[in-house]
Amino acid sequence: MMKRVEMTVASVREIGRDTFEMILQNAYIACNAKPGQFLHLLVDSRTLRRPISIASINQENDAVTILFKITGNGTKWLSACQPGVTLDAIGPAGNGFSYDEATMETALLIGGGIGIPPLYGLGKELSKKGIHIKTILGFQSKEYVFYEGMFQEFGKTYVVTNDGSYGNQGFVTSVLDQVGNFDRYFSCGPIPMLKAVTNKLSDHQGSISLEARMGCGVGACFACVIPTDSEGGYRKICSDGPVFAADEVML
Amino acid sequence: MMKRVEMTVASVREIGRDTFEMILQNAYIACNAKPGQFLHLLVDSRTLRRPISIASINQENDAVTILFKITGNGTKWLSACQPGVTLDAIGPAGNGFSYDEATMETALLIGGGIGIPPLYGLGKELSKKGIHIKTILGFQSKEYVFYEGMFQEFGKTYVVTNDGSYGNQGFVTSVLDQVGNFDRYFSCGPIPMLKAVTNKLSDHQGSISLEARMGCGVGACFACVIPTDSEGGYRKICSDGPVFAADEVML
Amino acid sequence: MTNLSVDLPGLKLKNPVMPASGCFGFGREYSEFYDLSQLGAIIMKAATGEERYGNNTPRVAETASGMLNAIGLQNPGVEKIIANEVPFLAGYEVPIIANVAGRTTEEYVKIASTFYKTKAVNAFELNISCPNVKKGGIQFGTDPDMAADVTAKVKAASNLPVYVKLSPNVSDITAVAKAVEQAGADGLSMINTLTGMQMDLSGRRPLLANQTGGLSGQAIKPIAIRMIYEVKQHVSIPIIGMGGISAAEDVLEFLLAGASAVAIGTANFQNPYVCLEIIGELPHVLQKYGFDSVSAAIGRGHYAA
Amino acid sequence: MTNLSVDLPGLKLKNPVMPASGCFGFGREYSEFYDLSQLGAIIMKAATGEERYGNNTPRVAETASGMLNAIGLQNPGVEKIIANEVPFLAGYEVPIIANVAGRTTEEYVKIASTFYKTKAVNAFELNISCPNVKKGGIQFGTDPDMAADVTAKVKAASNLPVYVKLSPNVSDITAVAKAVEQAGADGLSMINTLTGMQMDLSGRRPLLANQTGGLSGQAIKPIAIRMIYEVKQHVSIPIIGMGGISAAEDVLEFLLAGASAVAIGTANFQNPYVCLEIIGELPHVLQKYGFDSVSAAIGRGHYAA
Ligand SMILES: Cc1cc2nc3c(=O)[nH]c(=O)nc-3n(C[C@H](O)[C@H](O)[C@H](O)COP(=O)(O)OP(=O)(O)OC[C@H]3O[C@@H](n4cnc5c(N)ncnc54)[C@H](O)[C@@H]3O)c2cc1C
Ligand SMILES: Cc1cc2nc3c(=O)[nH]c(=O)nc-3n(C[C@H](O)[C@H](O)[C@H](O)COP(=O)(O)OP(=O)(O)OC[C@H]3O[C@@H](n4cnc5c(N)ncnc54)[C@H](O)[C@@H]3O)c2cc1C
Ligand SMILES: Cc1cc2nc3c(=O)[nH]c(=O)nc-3n(C[C@H](O)[C@H](O)[C@H](O)COP(=O)(O)O)c2cc1C
Ligand SMILES: Cc1cc2nc3c(=O)[nH]c(=O)nc-3n(C[C@H](O)[C@H](O)[C@H](O)COP(=O)(O)O)c2cc1C
Ligand code: FES
Ligand code: FES
């Protein structure tokens, strides 16, 4: 169940250009969070909270890790928070990744830019369960690359950059042909990327995690809807998602 | 000349209920400020700056002291500023106290509540010039009393509280009869107090320092005007004042 | 003990605080944070005659001390609201107000009668002020005659009290207020959002898919207070005040200006407990400023010399 | 090099940034902070036919991301402005715009002709939108016919360009904009302040002596952007945009929405150097978003798919 909690910043460090890793402590969140869920963070007393994925969970230390990129005032403020500061968070929000362990031997993780964070926690979980993992990570360019090593610990990891300054040049879909077999994919990133991925992998089962500008973040305001196939049908990204089956919503 | 400067908080301490003394460092301000002038302080990025009197000036340490009471969000924020923090200030703003030393043997300072601060710096200045000083300080009640000892260093100091919980009971005007002779008075406090004081002392020369809700604080917006005797005449408290001759403006 | 209760036409409120329409859904989500019976009342998300999908996304943007929204009245339609949402809310000890939004007068009347027939709700908030739909909504709210007409027809369709929700996007809000009072409105609800826009600098276009959106939050409080103060001088029906409330002091400000109760919208997004916390704080704030009941404060900002 | 210059009717601006009327006096005070020749233009405090004292104090209040003011057009009157203020400003290399405010059409015309005769200024900003005076001001601004009439008469009184300053306190700002365009306005200036109020909780009355005041500052930016975007689609005269600008990004937002130049008011109070700093930042912001001149950005928020 979602709660409003105070989380204490344990550390914050820059791990790529404008990209930060922050460890936040709170026992309730660490105990109840699942990969794919997010925190709705109050930043600088602004009107709207900022949704940020839980990138990994460390129950022993009552801590979770978030990874974020500075894209505006809220994330800038966040990046300047010093250890010891407490943040007001609502979480764990939304629904995490779900899958059938029994039918999955190999999973493919496909992340683009700041969509990568939730996949890391998922990778850790799958890895613990003995599921084989392959990863494709896409970035704008070399300076933005982060967590490559962390994913390599799970298995083979392909890095692509749009400008070719690191790894393969192109988009995440450019290396799909090289990854070989997998039973299910999990993807998170910008909408154009998710469109390309779901199209190319339409013969596979997959889960995608979506972003949207949010109001309430709890399912009450209809700010974050995404249409489904059926006439007038929709899902709320904040409370029905952010993770959906690849064919559940219309991108 | 007024400038926008960064001032460093050197110390802050509570000296009476909700009343704080803050030492701010900046060489330009310390060098150029005169008793009666004020700082126009940016607080918490709010739209309007807060005018706060310069209570005393310490040129050797490049520092000035301000004294303020928490009356709203801005002063509350200010009271929570830790040493080392820098504040954005415009100053020294307005005109300080002016007087003719030659004709003044004894000065009477009459301060009410948070109108007391500018009188302290004035007292220090007059004292240095060998002018004899008497002081009347008025407060709501005992818990709010501050700087009594500091004024006692200049000379005889009468304290009155509205509820009689300390010193004499009543208003500053209640003890006017007891203070004996003086050549000129200087007063700062709430408007009703200034009205009573100027009425009772209409046969004396005096200077009063006024407060007003300000916009620009530099004389450009006409927010802070006060009428003068003459038809349609006015003064701007921020730039013509805040100190005026007692008979210059209509309270 | 400070008395927080307020009696409004058709509504006995244990306290004057309710969530504003559209910012609280149909209560389910916030019921996970606290017991909804603690609220003065609940105003549901707008109900239309049929299910509506609303506008494309993005539907919200943040602004200085506020936000823009262009939801476009997405809702499951009156029938499904009665079937699936009202029963849940009926489980709480709290009056339910239905926010009614039509494209045509007939649709307003149809929605109201449907609610009325099923005895589902305690009062209507007539939304003639939604800036985010092409038809209906604000069209009714800017023209006193149209506003009066739809008010009269909805009044005729049931004997439930009707609170007409006014738009601030008008030259003369008092004219609309007087017109709907004469048409039989039991109360007013004000203000809805101000039409605004934000540009997406990189996209070189309006950020919201709907281009314009409704401005809400603390930024608009001075406009709400002004309009309530002005309207209060010209009508005698009670006003439910809203626009930028985020603290108990704000509630008192609205009461002094002339509101008899208040609704809280945007602030729920920042703090899901805001209604509850304000209800808890209100007695202290009333005491601090010398009032021993909510009633004693209503309209008191009008009498000082 | 990014080209910041803009040509408007009667005004060659080296950059699009000018201080807004009433927030910069007649320039003297801010000339102590920087060289006024660096500004695109200067809009003076409102001039009336005779000297005016204005409203009682308090005249200002702070609000969330904004402020209320009810100065009441205090100014020394057109004659003294020409005698004592204009000569000082004429010492700078900067176009001077006179903000003209009358109680009657005759007063507007008289003020304009007095300025015109003495060749004191480069353009007029016709203030038909001041919410803080009992007579004149906003009365003219809410009625398209009255607005058109005073525009036509002031146009006839001189051959200086006339920018009509519109009020946002209207149901249909486009109607007023079109009316004054047809009446011969050379440009528009928008927006003036929104009428608002703050209650003094302890005093149990409106905080401002005038009761209501004009809301300005960042809080109103979304409303300004919306109105400019809307009006831009219906008129072909240039717009001087204002309302809540406090950074160079805000200037670009106004340009995209359709403004050809901008004025900065309230932000001067927080930061006396704000105009200068924005002029310095603007080239970088334009570059960042792919523009190599101010002109290239004007109205560009209207073309995206
Ligand atoms: C479920 C979910 C999970 C997310 N996880 C992460 C993450 O792990 N790391 C990360 O860096 N980012 C993540 N994002 C995106 C993140 O929410 C935005 O980058 C952030 O809100 C931007 O805030 P700002 O104040 O810096 O930017 P501004 O542009 O100043 O923000 C203005 C407003 O727009 C909203 N907004 C702007 N961009 C986005 C966006 N891309 N998505 C949603 N709202 C946006 C903000 O929340 C705010 O309300 C996630 C978004 C969602 C919906
Ligand atoms: C020339 C001058 C010198 C002053 N010197 C001192 C001093 O030395 N110590 C001190 O404690 N106070 C002083 N004041 C009063 C001080 O400016 C206010 O107490 C302060 O601005 C309140 O800010 P706030 O945010 O706490 O209150 P809020 O009520 O939240 O402020 C809201 C707005 O009202 C204005 N305001 C509220 N009260 C006053 C007031 N009494 N005078 C002017 N503006 C007000 C604020 O500046 C702000 O714009 C002085 C005022 C003036 C004009
Ligand atoms: C996301 C959102 C959705 C809204 N939906 C509705 C609605 O369906 N019907 C309605 O009458 N008002 C709606 N409103 C307006 C609010 O009820 C309220 O009048 C307005 O937001 C001002 O109050 P606030 O500043 O407390 O939010 C909505 C406001 C927001 C922010
Ligand atoms: C203190 C103050 C005084 C003003 N005086 C005038 C005036 O005399 N004439 C006028 O046309 N506008 C006047 N305005 C309105 C501004 O010129 C401007 O239109 C408005 O404040 C919005 O811009 P801003 O948000 O940048 O302040 C005044 C505004 C303020 C805050
Ligand atoms: S953000 Fe409010 S419903 Fe999803
Ligand atoms: S505060 Fe602007 S003139 Fe004094």
Side-chain angles (χ1 to χ4, degrees):
Chain A
M1 213 186 73
M2 208 159 32
K3 282 196 182 173
R4 185 181 53 164
V5 296
E6 295 222 316
M7 306 191 75
T8 309
V9 176
S11 71
V12 51
R13 67 187 182 100
E14 195 162 357
I15 55 169
R17 180 184 287 182
D18 293 341
T19 310
F20 291 78
E21 176 193 74
M22 181 179 268
I23 298 179
L24 291 170
Q25 272 174 319
N26 177 280
Y28 181 80
I29 299 289
C31 235
N32 292 283
K34 288 190 183 55
Q37 290 189 300
F38 66 94
L39 298 173
H40 214 197
L41 290 169
L42 191 64
V43 291
D44 201 15
S45 314
R46 282 174 180 271
T47 306
L48 298 179
R49 288 171 179 263
R50 277 24 180 195
I52 303 283
S53 300
I54 295 169
S56 78
I57 304 156
N58 187 329
Q59 290 193 2
E60 302 85 72
N61 297 335
D62 291 344
V64 299
T65 302
I66 60 172
L67 305 174
F68 60 89
K69 187 167 159 189
I70 297 187
T71 56
N73 288 321
T75 43
K76 187 164 184 184
W77 180 88
L78 206 57
S79 73
C81 285
Q82 297 298 314
V85 164
T86 59
L87 298 178
D88 177 334
I90 296 177
N95 299 300
F97 292 99
S98 60
Y99 47 86
D100 180 1
E101 293 173 43
T103 62
M104 186 161 57
E105 246 172 61
T106 306
L108 174 61
L109 311 181
I110 311 166
I114 207 58
I116 291 170
L119 298 178
Y120 177 69
L122 175 66
K124 250 174 78 172
E125 182 179 274
L126 295 176
S127 198
K128 246 188 232 156
K129 295 187 170 158
I131 292 163
H132 189 67
I133 296 173
K134 298 172 180 178
T135 304
I136 307 173
L137 303 177
F139 300 94
Q140 283 171 263
S141 63
K142 187 178 174 185
E143 313 86 76
Y144 291 99
V145 174
F146 64 88
Y147 265 39
E148 182 188 12
M150 311 281 276
F151 280 93
Q152 277 167 344
E153 290 180 21
F154 306 144
K156 176 85 181 150
T157 300
Y158 304 79
V159 174
V160 297
T161 52
N162 302 348
D163 66 356
S165 54
Y166 189 83
N168 291 293
Q169 197 258 315
F171 300 100
V172 291
T173 41
S174 324
V175 292
L176 272 181
D177 306 335
Q178 305 168 31
V179 297
N181 283 346
F182 58 92
D183 302 303
R184 188 184 177 91
Y185 70 90
F186 299 88
S187 186
C188 184
I191 294 283
M193 181 196 105
L194 292 177
K195 270 193 188 159
V197 167
T198 50
N199 276 340
K200 265 210 145 180
L201 300 181
S202 53
D203 52 342
H204 279 77
Q205 287 216 313
S207 299
I208 53 174
S209 179
L210 300 178
E211 291 189 1
R213 294 195 175 237
M214 293 186 178
C216 65
V218 302
C221 79
F222 295 90
C224 66
V225 299
I226 181 149
T228 57
D229 246 344
S230 67
E231 174 69 31
Y234 66 91
R235 295 282 184 281
K236 294 174 190 164
I237 290 180
C238 68
S239 53
D240 299 323
V243 180
F244 297 99
D247 55 2
E248 189 180 353
V249 292
M250 283 176 19
L251 294 176
Chain B
M1 212 187 74
M2 207 160 31
K3 282 196 182 174
R4 184 181 54 163
V5 297
E6 293 223 316
M7 306 191 75
T8 308
V9 175
S11 71
V12 52
R13 68 189 180 100
E14 195 161 358
I15 55 169
R17 179 184 288 182
D18 293 341
T19 310
F20 292 78
E21 176 193 72
M22 181 180 268
I23 299 180
L24 292 170
Q25 273 174 318
N26 178 282
Y28 181 80
I29 299 289
C31 235
N32 292 282
K34 287 190 183 56
Q37 289 188 301
F38 66 94
L39 298 173
H40 213 199
L41 290 169
L42 191 63
V43 292
D44 201 14
S45 315
R46 282 175 180 269
T47 306
L48 298 178
R49 288 171 178 262
R50 275 28 179 192
I52 303 283
S53 300
I54 295 168
S56 79
I57 303 157
N58 187 328
Q59 290 193 2
E60 302 86 70
N61 297 335
D62 291 343
V64 299
T65 302
I66 60 173
L67 305 174
F68 59 90
K69 188 168 158 187
I70 297 186
T71 56
N73 287 320
T75 43
K76 187 164 185 186
W77 179 89
L78 206 56
S79 72
C81 284
Q82 297 298 315
V85 164
T86 59
L87 298 177
D88 176 333
I90 297 177
N95 300 300
F97 292 100
S98 60
Y99 47 84
D100 181 1
E101 293 172 45
T103 63
M104 184 161 59
E105 244 171 60
T106 305
L108 174 61
L109 310 181
I110 311 166
I114 206 59
I116 292 169
L119 298 178
Y120 177 69
L122 175 66
K124 251 174 80 173
E125 182 179 276
L126 295 176
S127 198
K128 245 187 231 155
K129 294 184 170 160
I131 292 163
H132 188 67
I133 295 174
K134 297 172 180 178
T135 304
I136 307 175
L137 303 177
F139 300 93
Q140 282 170 262
S141 63
K142 188 178 174 186
E143 314 86 74
Y144 292 98
V145 173
F146 65 87
Y147 266 39
E148 182 187 11
M150 312 282 276
F151 280 94
Q152 277 168 344
E153 290 179 21
F154 306 145
K156 176 86 180 149
T157 299
Y158 305 79
V159 174
V160 297
T161 52
N162 301 350
D163 66 355
S165 54
Y166 189 84
N168 292 292
Q169 196 260 315
F171 300 100
V172 292
T173 42
S174 323
V175 292
L176 272 181
D177 306 337
Q178 305 169 31
V179 298
N181 282 346
F182 58 92
D183 301 306
R184 188 183 177 91
Y185 72 91
F186 299 88
S187 186
C188 183
I191 294 283
M193 180 195 105
L194 292 177
K195 269 192 187 159
V197 166
T198 51
N199 275 342
K200 263 211 146 176
L201 300 181
S202 55
D203 52 341
H204 279 77
Q205 288 218 311
S207 299
I208 54 174
S209 179
L210 300 180
E211 291 188 1
R213 293 194 176 238
M214 292 186 178
C216 66
V218 303
C221 79
F222 295 92
C224 66
V225 299
I226 182 151
T228 57
D229 246 345
S230 68
E231 175 69 32
Y234 66 91
R235 295 282 185 281
K236 294 175 192 162
I237 291 179
C238 69
S239 53
D240 299 325
V243 180
F244 297 98
D247 56 2
E248 189 179 351
V249 291
M250 282 175 20
L251 294 177
Chain C
M1 260 291 294
T2 319
N3 184 352
L4 296 187
S5 71
V6 186
D7 275 10
L8 298 183
L11 296 169
K12 277 196 172 299
L13 310 179
K14 52 182 145 334
N15 66 63
V17 178
M18 48 193 116
S21 181
C23 301
F24 209 74
F26 300 97
R28 269 181 216 280
E29 295 77 16
Y30 289 95
S31 75
E32 295 190 21
F33 291 102
Y34 59 87
D35 175 5
L36 303 183
S37 299
Q38 297 179 264
L39 294 167
I42 289 179
I43 312 182
M44 294 190 294
K45 171 74 189 164
T48 52
E50 307 299 327
E51 175 159 6
R52 279 214 210 161
Y53 179 75
N55 296 318
N56 287 336
T57 58
R59 291 179 172 185
V60 293
E62 191 178 65
T63 69
S65 297
M67 66 175 285
L68 293 167
N69 90 80
I71 307 296
L73 298 184
Q74 176 158 21
N75 81 97
V78 58
E79 309 275 3
K80 284 197 197 151
I81 291 174
I82 292 171
N84 306 329
E85 307 296 345
V86 172
F88 172 80
L89 283 178
Y92 294 94
E93 287 282 322
V94 66
I96 307 173
I97 304 175
N99 184 276
V100 173
R103 284 201 178 87
T104 60
T105 306
E106 292 66 45
E107 189 179 352
Y108 278 103
V109 170
K110 187 197 140 193
I111 301 162
S113 7
T114 311
F115 273 121
Y116 177 58
K117 270 186 239 141
T118 56
K119 300 196 161 73
V121 300
N122 303 87
F124 295 125
E125 181 178 55
L126 209 62
N127 182 354
I128 56 166
S129 43
C130 180
N132 298 323
V133 288
K134 296 268 166 314
K135 278 191 191 156
I138 208 167
Q139 284 186 310
F140 288 91
T142 43
D143 178 358
D145 294 335
M146 282 179 76
D149 183 61
V150 66
T151 304
K153 294 202 168 122
V154 170
K155 270 304 287 179
S158 92
N159 60 17
L160 287 177
V162 174
Y163 294 80
V164 181
K165 185 156 180 180
L166 303 184
S167 169
N169 300 291
V170 295
S171 311
D172 185 358
I173 196 163
T174 304
V176 185
K178 282 158 83 175
V180 301
E181 178 181 40
Q182 260 168 19
D186 298 278
L188 301 171
S189 174
M190 52 194 289
I191 58 175
N192 210 319
T193 54
L194 284 132
T195 312
M197 183 185 279
Q198 187 171 106
M199 300 301 296
D200 170 356
L201 301 187
S202 312
R204 298 183 180 182
R205 63 169 165 241
L207 192 146
L208 298 179
N210 186 53
Q211 298 201 336
T212 60
L215 183 64
S216 63
Q218 296 181 38
I220 70 168
K221 195 182 66 169
I223 298 169
I225 293 290
R226 184 267 290 183
M227 291 186 160
I228 290 168
Y229 192 90
E230 188 184 309
V231 164
K232 177 73 178 172
Q233 294 172 312
H234 295 98
V235 302
S236 48
I237 50 178
I239 298 169
I240 301 173
M242 68 201 70
I245 296 176
S246 69
E249 281 81 5
D250 298 336
V251 175
L252 178 56
E253 192 178 358
F254 275 80
L255 296 175
L256 294 177
S260 297
V262 297
I264 299 174
T266 305
N268 290 288
F269 303 163
Q270 201 188 59
N271 175 6
Y273 296 94
V274 71
C275 292
L276 199 63
E277 286 175 9
I278 286 179
I279 293 166
E281 270 298 309
L282 194 53
H284 308 293
V285 169
L286 287 169
Q287 292 289 351
K288 177 172 170 198
Y289 290 99
F291 297 102
D292 57 13
S293 70
V294 164
S295 316
I298 297 169
R300 279 304 292 275
H302 289 262
Y303 308 129
Chain D
M1 258 290 295
T2 320
N3 184 351
L4 297 187
S5 71
V6 186
D7 274 10
L8 297 184
L11 297 169
K12 276 194 173 298
L13 311 178
K14 52 183 145 336
N15 65 62
V17 177
M18 48 192 116
S21 180
C23 302
F24 209 75
F26 301 96
R28 268 180 218 280
E29 294 79 14
Y30 289 95
S31 76
E32 294 190 22
F33 291 103
Y34 58 88
D35 175 5
L36 304 184
S37 300
Q38 298 179 263
L39 294 167
I42 288 178
I43 312 182
M44 295 190 293
K45 172 73 191 164
T48 52
E50 307 298 327
E51 175 159 4
R52 278 214 212 163
Y53 178 74
N55 296 318
N56 287 337
T57 56
R59 291 179 172 186
V60 293
E62 191 179 64
T63 69
S65 296
M67 66 176 285
L68 293 167
N69 90 79
I71 308 297
L73 299 183
Q74 176 159 22
N75 81 96
V78 59
E79 308 276 3
K80 284 196 197 153
I81 291 173
I82 293 171
N84 306 330
E85 307 296 346
V86 173
F88 172 79
L89 283 179
Y92 293 94
E93 288 282 324
V94 65
I96 307 173
I97 303 175
N99 183 276
V100 174
R103 284 202 178 85
T104 59
T105 306
E106 293 66 46
E107 188 178 354
Y108 278 104
V109 170
K110 188 197 138 191
I111 302 161
S113 10
T114 311
F115 273 122
Y116 176 57
K117 270 186 238 140
T118 56
K119 298 196 160 72
V121 299
N122 303 85
F124 296 125
E125 181 178 54
L126 209 61
N127 182 353
I128 56 166
S129 44
C130 180
N132 299 321
V133 289
K134 296 267 165 312
K135 277 189 193 160
I138 208 168
Q139 285 186 308
F140 288 91
T142 44
D143 178 358
D145 294 336
M146 281 178 77
D149 183 62
V150 66
T151 304
K153 293 198 168 123
V154 169
K155 271 304 288 180
S158 90
N159 59 18
L160 287 177
V162 174
Y163 294 80
V164 180
K165 185 157 182 180
L166 303 185
S167 168
N169 301 290
V170 295
S171 311
D172 184 359
I173 195 163
T174 304
V176 185
K178 281 158 82 175
V180 302
E181 178 180 41
Q182 258 167 21
D186 299 278
L188 301 171
S189 175
M190 53 193 290
I191 56 174
N192 210 318
T193 53
L194 283 132
T195 313
M197 182 185 279
Q198 187 171 105
M199 299 301 296
D200 171 355
L201 301 187
S202 312
R204 299 183 179 182
R205 64 171 165 241
L207 192 146
L208 298 179
N210 186 53
Q211 299 201 336
T212 60
L215 182 65
S216 63
Q218 296 181 38
I220 70 168
K221 196 183 67 172
I223 298 169
I225 293 291
R226 185 266 292 184
M227 291 185 160
I228 290 167
Y229 192 89
E230 188 184 309
V231 164
K232 177 73 179 173
Q233 295 173 312
H234 295 99
V235 303
S236 48
I237 50 179
I239 298 169
I240 302 174
M242 67 202 72
I245 296 176
S246 69
E249 281 81 5
D250 298 335
V251 174
L252 178 56
E253 192 178 358
F254 275 80
L255 296 175
L256 294 178
S260 297
V262 298
I264 299 174
T266 305
N268 290 287
F269 303 163
Q270 199 189 61
N271 175 7
Y273 297 94
V274 71
C275 292
L276 199 63
E277 286 175 8
I278 286 179
I279 293 165
E281 269 300 309
L282 194 53
H284 308 293
V285 168
L286 286 169
Q287 293 288 351
K288 177 173 169 195
Y289 291 98
F291 297 102
D292 57 11
S293 71
V294 164
S295 317
I298 296 169
R300 279 303 293 273
H302 289 262
Y303 309 130

